[in-house]
Amino acid sequence: MKILFCCTLIIMYSIPFFPQELPPAVEIYVHQLADNSNHLIIHHFDAVSVVWDQYYNINTVDPNNGDNIINTFFPIRGNRTNSGGGGWHFIKSNEGGSSPQGYEYPVIGFGLYKVHCDDSNTCFYIDYRDDRLSILGNYNYDISLKYRSDINKYYWFAGIASDITQFTELVNGELISIWEIFNESYPINNLLENFWQNCLVLIPSQIGNHPKLVWGPHPTLTDVVGYRVYRKYGTATFDPIATTDFDEYYYNDTELTLDFIQGGTNAYYYVKAIVIHESESEATNTVVANIDGQSPEKLISSKNIIYDFQINNYPNPFNPSTTIEYSTPERSNVVIKVYDMLGREVKELVNEIKDEGTYQVKFNAESLSSGVYIYTITVSNGNSILFRESKQMVLMK
């Protein structure tokens, strides 16, 4: 059982899927398509969340003192296929060993990880804070991931695959999760120690480097109807800024932009679960974002931000909903529509004037059949078309 990472990575999950095995016996199996046989590329799993160990306890091991499951790396030289390469163990089935090239297999735990390599700035985030990963011996969910050094791209496939045409390209900075890839509606995290008090994570958004908040379902409340995001920025108290659906565990704060030089002003966030009759749970942990030179008194579309015409959706594939994020650099009319593969319009999601900035719209395909759908954006000013683009998304039920 493995994660193919072509890099081809295979992550063990829940429910029987592909029973075949690939040598050696690791859970994250790495394949690589390098541009030459001597090209050494080091791939990293770096935790951006709290990490839980094999006993579902918060990991307290010093990363500098061995047994590290927080920041791990695995080097691969040249092209590696099913016959070699190696990869990562998952914490619940660590069997030791080393690759044919002599590198000891590292181990990862329950957590949200940034996956990247030393070869380029390409990265993606993968969230498998899910109890179902604890029963690897009974279930076989595999994810194949490949890295191509010639074009600096990662790809994924739900199952074991070797043909690059079967894979879906990962957009740089994209967040994927185990449960969405395998058509589960939500993760299960009841076993993870103090999950709610440690679940909130902050990463950059795919478009615009906005603060993107990621959390998970409340582990004990059964009557949650949504989640409320709170922010403190230039005020003495936390104020509610957004509400998400009960099955939506992320939010992009498009009013602010991250400052990676750490020269701006801090913004603070936490999330509360909303239960029936609008009462709220206790807050998650608080996360901090350093904001790019924006005055707290002037939050709306800062002129210091340079937007471009862009559109993307995540997750992709999805079930049953996905978020479409788009940007426009000037005030214009934006139309976003979804079509099936026969060209029939499925839904008009947006048709309105938008100021410059980055926006999100949710597409719910609960009533639709599995398959490939096309979403298009048309941005216009009067009779002039400023931008038009179409992209595919895959509904997997």
Side-chain angles (χ1 to χ4, degrees), residues 75-329:
I76 305 175
R77 186 181 299 278
N79 292 308
R80 308 306 297 181
T81 62
N82 291 6
S83 60
W88 275 261
H89 283 299
F90 184 67
I91 191 70
K92 293 296 288 187
S93 61
N94 182 6
E95 299 171 352
S98 60
S99 73
Q101 296 181 332
Y103 302 118
E104 185 177 348
Y105 299 138
V107 183
I108 62 168
F110 296 93
L112 195 161
Y113 286 87
K114 177 182 178 180
V115 181
H116 63 106
C117 68
D118 293 347
D119 195 53
S120 69
N121 294 323
T122 301
C123 72
F124 67 94
Y125 297 86
I126 186 163
D127 191 346
Y128 48 101
R129 297 175 291 177
D130 192 322
D131 291 353
R132 283 166 289 199
L133 287 167
S134 67
I135 41 183
L136 292 171
N138 298 324
Y139 297 97
N140 185 1
Y141 256 40
D142 298 337
I143 293 177
S144 302
L145 299 171
K146 293 187 178 183
Y147 179 70
R148 289 185 55 181
S149 70
D150 57 336
I151 54 176
N152 299 327
K153 287 186 183 294
Y154 283 104
Y155 301 79
W156 72 267
F157 177 79
I160 299 175
S162 57
D163 182 356
I164 194 66
T165 62
Q166 296 179 282
F167 284 70
T168 299
E169 179 183 336
L170 280 161
V171 178
N172 192 32
E174 184 174 351
L175 170 68
I176 59 175
S177 66
I178 298 299
W179 55 92
E180 290 173 320
I181 287 173
F182 288 104
N183 302 319
E184 302 288 349
S185 299
Y186 51 85
I188 297 175
N189 46 46
N190 300 359
L191 297 178
L192 302 181
E193 177 189 14
N194 295 329
F195 177 80
W196 187 247
Q197 292 78 20
N198 294 279
C199 69
L200 187 60
V201 181
L202 188 145
I203 61 176
S205 65
Q206 284 176 242
I207 300 175
N209 283 329
H210 303 298
K212 182 184 182 75
L213 304 170
V214 185
W215 61 97
H218 196 286
T220 58
L221 297 177
T222 58
D223 52 356
V224 174
V225 296
Y227 295 92
R228 186 163 288 135
V229 178
Y230 287 80
R231 180 183 67 197
K232 182 171 74 171
Y233 183 58
T235 63
T237 60
F238 282 87
D239 299 314
I241 60 168
T243 300
T244 70
D245 291 340
F246 74 96
D247 58 350
E248 227 175 356
Y249 313 119
Y250 46 81
Y251 172 74
N252 285 348
D253 187 357
T254 56
E255 291 183 320
L256 301 179
T257 304
L258 291 170
D259 180 7
F260 298 104
I261 304 177
Q262 300 296 300
T265 304
N266 285 340
Y268 302 84
Y269 301 88
Y270 61 68
V271 174
K272 291 185 175 183
I274 308 169
V275 296
I276 295 173
H277 308 306
E278 281 295 304
S279 61
E280 294 182 339
S281 71
E282 73 281 13
T284 63
N285 55 303
T286 299
V287 294
V288 183
N290 191 260
I291 303 305
D292 184 16
Q294 293 168 258
S295 167
E297 291 77 29
K298 297 179 181 179
L299 286 181
I300 35 180
S301 273
S302 168
K303 297 303 178 182
N304 293 327
I305 306 173
I306 301 175
Y307 294 98
D308 197 3
F309 292 116
Q310 295 187 65
I311 188 167
N312 245 306
N313 77 295
Y314 55 89
N316 187 16
F318 66 97
N319 180 33
S321 62
T322 185
T323 298
I324 297 174
E325 184 172 287
Y326 59 98
S327 295
T328 176

